[in-house]
Amino acid sequence: MSQATSRKKLVVIGNGMAGIRTLEELLKLSPDLYDITVFGAEPHPNYNRIMLSPVLAGEQTIDDIILNPLSWYERHGITLHLGQTVTEVDRRRRVVHTADGIEAHYDRLLLATGSQPFILPVPGHTLTGVIAYRDIADTQTMIETARTHRHAVVIGGGLLGLEAANGLRLRGMAVTVVHISEWLLERQLDREAAGLLQAELAARGIGFELQAHTAACLDDGYGRVRALALKDGRELPADLVVMAAGIRPQVALAESMGLQCNRGVVVTDTLQSITDPRIYAVGECANHRGTAYGLVAPLYEQAKVCATHLAHWGIGRYQGSQVSTKLKVTGIDLFSAGDFMGAEGTESVFLRDPLRGVYKKLVFKGPQLVGACLYGDIRDGAWYFDLIRSGEPVASQRDTLVFGPPQAAAG
């Protein structure tokens, strides 16, 4: 009993991938250091948010994407509060309060509140049938709507928007993607690769309106959306409007606590808030050296470093992540890394194989490979990424690099 009472108290706000991965790493290092309490706003245990798309497409179930079932929390003696929104944190007394009146004291606090979808503040955005695509509830709403309604519009031609469009199409809806930019996935692909992707998705029956601006969601007279109005005056029929137009770090709670925030909770290389060293932040809600990461690999790197400090090992330093984007959009493989667009002073080498649906673009600056964009065949993506990170000269291989590693090319 005395051992239990002498334990420090760790409270985690957020039951998502970054926060729970931090706990997994912590439990490997110092399993008996803390009494741990976790607050999750959703009524589900920790699940793989990335796999919501296969659930929508009917390829997996909710149970399939659970990462840590309730038994995991029980096994590690973690107190789990699901469906609980933390509304206040008293930093002076070190107490967390929820909307339902639950209180939890902490010695260390980990913020892993993630991000929230950006909802376009256009007229009609609160109508029934206008939703975001962020969690299990959104996914279930889409599945239910597809059973009874016909027309869907997805706002946003990024990864999430395209996955939503594909899943709804597979469930029988007529889908149009409305995107503000000149081409799809403009942060991950160049214009040519994006054109190949759009042609492939159009062949599957998905419609596209590029460089299109949303004016309003129109009411059917009964409180449900019936169409999306564009600024050019056209109307797209829509029983369902899915907003996938980006995310924002979830920092309202952190701001109310008086923590310094700037597009995320500002943290040091030890993932501690620069305002209060008892408080840590990881994942999409954290801003490290001016960057808030939304990809899984950096979040897991943060979790590992954060855990070493929570465990009192004090050895980890997070110095940022060089990221590559490896995506499987509706079964189509895509990869990009570095300066794949090709800034001034760079040169690009291309490989195009229309019959196989393959496109490769390598970007060089002097003797170094500085960027890569691959469509359809990404087997060599990790190899290119290593070359980009290492900065080693590849001038002698410049003309053959696009065919892959030397041993592969020779074979």
Side-chain angles (χ1 to χ4, degrees):
M1 188 72 179
S2 59
Q3 182 193 7
T5 52
S6 66
R7 284 183 176 183
K8 295 181 183 301
K9 296 183 186 303
L10 170 64
V11 172
V12 182
I13 302 176
N15 190 37
M17 295 170 75
I20 303 306
R21 174 57 74 97
T22 305
L23 288 187
E24 290 176 339
E25 298 287 351
L26 171 62
L27 291 167
K28 290 180 201 170
L29 301 175
S30 297
D32 301 316
L33 185 59
Y34 293 100
D35 283 332
I36 301 171
T37 301
V38 175
F39 291 95
E42 292 185 67
H44 309 280
N46 178 36
Y47 64 90
N48 189 339
R49 201 177 293 278
I50 298 164
M51 299 305 286
L52 286 172
S53 299
V55 173
L56 176 60
E59 297 159 5
Q60 298 208 351
T61 67
I62 299 298
D63 286 343
D64 292 333
I65 69 171
I66 298 295
L67 293 172
N68 299 81
L70 295 176
S71 58
W72 178 84
Y73 299 84
E74 292 166 13
R75 190 163 69 250
H76 292 286
I78 297 169
T79 301
L80 176 63
H81 297 289
L82 292 177
Q84 291 291 334
T85 301
V86 174
T87 53
E88 183 190 351
V89 175
D90 182 336
R91 286 203 288 128
R92 189 178 59 79
R93 292 176 52 235
R94 300 204 298 275
V95 181
V96 170
H97 300 269
T98 73
D100 289 349
I102 298 173
E103 291 188 359
H105 292 258
Y106 69 86
D107 297 294
R108 295 290 182 271
L109 179 66
L110 175 59
L111 297 177
T113 50
S115 58
Q116 58 188 355
F118 176 65
I119 301 297
L120 295 176
V122 295
H125 72 272
T126 59
L127 289 171
T128 301
V130 179
I131 65 168
Y133 183 20
R134 187 65 189 154
D135 55 26
I136 286 176
D138 296 330
T139 307
Q140 289 173 327
T141 296
M142 286 192 263
I143 292 170
E144 290 299 318
T145 305
R147 290 188 179 127
T148 54
H149 293 78
R150 171 75 180 133
H151 295 282
V153 171
V154 176
I155 301 175
L159 175 63
L160 211 55
L162 296 181
E163 293 286 12
N166 185 63
L168 292 168
R169 183 77 192 94
L170 288 172
R171 289 187 177 271
M173 296 194 84
V175 185
T176 302
V177 175
V178 172
H179 192 45
I180 198 170
S181 300
E182 292 180 47
W183 65 85
L184 304 174
L185 286 172
E186 71 278 3
R187 292 182 184 172
Q188 292 89 6
L189 297 178
D190 65 7
R191 185 190 293 269
E192 188 168 351
L196 293 169
L197 176 62
Q198 183 177 336
E200 172 66 31
L201 296 177
R204 299 182 189 185
I206 297 172
F208 293 94
E209 295 289 346
L210 301 183
Q211 293 180 275
H213 298 258
T214 300
C217 298
L218 304 180
D219 195 328
D220 68 352
Y222 300 96
R224 185 177 188 92
V225 67
R226 66 167 178 84
L228 187 82
L230 300 177
K231 285 190 178 174
D232 63 11
R234 289 180 298 149
E235 293 183 11
L236 305 176
D239 311 301
L240 175 69
V241 173
V242 180
M243 294 205 185
I247 57 175
R248 303 286 185 273
Q250 185 92 268
V251 292
L253 178 66
E255 288 174 337
S256 75
M257 295 160 57
L259 301 183
Q260 184 172 336
C261 297
N262 178 17
R263 288 173 292 113
V265 180
V266 180
V267 295
T268 65
D269 289 358
T270 57
L271 284 312
Q272 288 165 287
S273 161
I274 65 170
T275 310
D276 186 338
R278 294 178 184 273
I279 299 175
Y280 296 73
V282 292
E284 292 173 327
C285 71
N287 182 322
H288 174 265
R289 298 188 187 182
T291 301
Y293 294 93
L295 298 169
V296 171
L299 308 193
Y300 283 179
E301 289 169 14
Q302 290 178 2
K304 199 157 195 153
V305 170
C306 184
T308 67
H309 293 280
L310 286 171
H312 295 177
W313 286 34
I315 53 170
R317 288 292 181 276
Y318 178 70
Q319 297 179 326
S321 298
Q322 267 197 299
V323 297
S324 64
T325 305
K326 179 181 177 183
L327 306 173
K328 188 182 273 290
V329 180
T330 68
I332 303 161
D333 290 313
L334 314 169
F335 175 91
S336 63
D339 176 20
F340 65 88
M341 291 297 292
E344 193 175 337
T346 64
E347 295 178 82
S348 299
V349 173
F350 298 89
L351 182 150
R352 299 176 176 92
D353 186 344
L355 286 176
R356 288 173 54 224
V358 171
Y359 167 79
K360 293 185 179 184
K361 173 187 180 182
L362 300 183
V363 181
F364 298 89
K365 186 167 188 176
Q368 295 172 322
L369 180 68
V370 295
C373 181
L374 312 178
Y375 177 94
D377 179 1
I378 65 168
R379 287 174 296 178
D380 302 322
W383 181 64
Y384 291 134
F385 187 42
D386 287 342
L387 289 176
I388 292 167
R389 280 194 297 191
S390 71
E392 71 176 78
V394 292
S396 61
Q397 301 170 259
R398 186 185 175 109
D399 296 331
T400 58
L401 213 63
V402 76
F403 299 107
Q407 63 272 23

